[in-house]
């Protein structure tokens, strides 16, 4: 049976390419049609619209930008929604509010479909290398089937629960650690650089010690080169801080480090660096230094 894939953005296209190259019978669609051409070259079928994807595929993976994009593509709230998803497994792989995913799950089930939450941890390079980490929630049999399907995409998958939003909450917990860690790395780099230290030596010391990780080995060279080409864009990171903050607030949880990161990424985006990699938060930190450490405003 063919698999469907909707959404060929920074993450979606390399994920879909890995599926196609592994021999998965794949039908894809993207709002900007030109982004699907590498998939066509890799042997995937390119559909004219989402409805055609659902006509051809029993399981459809969604890697869409946000809640509005998911609703629009699925025709949620219209008669087309039930006609499209009935009898299908809908796999929501994007990062949205947990409450939204819970409601979407209820709607898919009411329409006669199966719903699996499957957000992934990782940025563009792990997506290209097939080294993402998948977190899945939904009916056990469906979760097992999706986990097997994602082997060309994910280095590891983890079942997180039998219903939404268990997987998205796990993803937000992981993102909380990632965002605060990369922001801390960026601040440390700024500290070393502004003290006149040899930044190559600083990164070598970091890489030799207990704080070295796959993340530092990717992000630290980008800081040294001031390479802000997006692997995970600053605007997307800001959206994630908002989602995490809302989930923390709903549960009555303190998130003080996240609060600081939210402010810094807000400043980064306001300064015009929304399309830059998350290490572009360096601009906000530098601006605070240049203002005498005062936040914007």
């Amino acid at each position: 049976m063919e698999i469907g894939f909707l959404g060929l953005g920074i993450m979606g296209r390399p994920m879909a390419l890995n599926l196609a190259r592994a021999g998965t019978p794949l039908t894809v669609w993207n709002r900007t049609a030109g982004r699907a051409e590498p998939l066509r070259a890799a042997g995937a079928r390119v559909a004219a619209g989402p409805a055609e994807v659902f006509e051809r595929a029993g399981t459809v993976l969604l890697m869409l930008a946000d809640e509005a994009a998911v609703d629009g593509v699925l025709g949620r709230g219209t008669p087309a929604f039930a006609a499209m998803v009935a009898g299908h497994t809908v796999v929501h792989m994007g990062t949205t509010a947990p409450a939204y995913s819970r409601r979407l799950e209820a709607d898919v089930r009411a329409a006669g479909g199966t719903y699996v939450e499957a957000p992934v941890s990782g940025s563009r390079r792990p997506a290209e290398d097939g080294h993402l980490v998948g977190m899945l929630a939904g009916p056990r049999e469906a979760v097992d089937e999706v986990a097997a399907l994602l082997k060309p995409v994910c280095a590891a998958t983890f079942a997180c629960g039998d219903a939404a939003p268990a997987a998205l909450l796990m993803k937000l917990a992981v993102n909380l650690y990632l965002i605060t860690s990369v922001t801390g790395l960026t601040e440390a780099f700024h500290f070393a650089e502004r003290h006149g230290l040899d930044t190559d030596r600083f990164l070598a010391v970091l890489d030799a010690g207990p704080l070295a990780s796959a993340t530092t080995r990717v992000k630290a060279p980008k800081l040294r080169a001031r390479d802000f080409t997006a692997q995970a864009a600053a605007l997307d990171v800001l959206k994630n801080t908002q989602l995490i903050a809302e989930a923390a607030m709903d549960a009555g949880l303190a998130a003080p480090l996240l609060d600081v990161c939210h402010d810094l990424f807000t400043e980064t985006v306001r300064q015009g660096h929304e399309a830059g990699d998350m290490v572009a938060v360096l601009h906000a930190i530098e601006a605070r230094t240049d203002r005498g450490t005062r936040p914007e405003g």
Side-chain angles (χ1 to χ4, degrees), residues 39-61:
L39 272 299
R40 193 193 306 274
R45 186 189 306 271
V46 179
E52 183 183 344
V53 175
F54 277 89
E55 287 170 5
R56 302 197 63 88
T59 297
V60 179
L61 311 181

Side-chain angles (χ1 to χ4, degrees), residues 87-174:
H88 292 76
T89 298
V90 177
V91 185
H92 175 37
M93 302 191 71
T95 303
T96 60
Y100 168 83
S101 183
R102 186 186 295 114
R103 294 191 298 269
L104 179 59
E105 176 184 55
D107 288 351
V108 169
R109 288 183 175 180
T114 300
Y115 183 82
V116 174
E117 225 179 36
V120 293
S121 179
S123 57
R124 185 181 63 189
R125 182 179 295 180
E128 291 170 346
D129 294 341
H131 291 164
L132 297 170
V133 176
M135 293 147 280
L136 284 69
R140 186 68 203 207
E141 183 177 349
V143 163
D144 289 345
E145 290 174 357
V146 172
L149 169 65
L150 292 178
K151 284 184 178 179
V153 174
C154 296
T157 56
F158 295 88
C160 299
D162 59 6
L168 267 169
L169 287 171
M170 184 70 77
K171 168 70 183 291
L172 294 183
V174 171

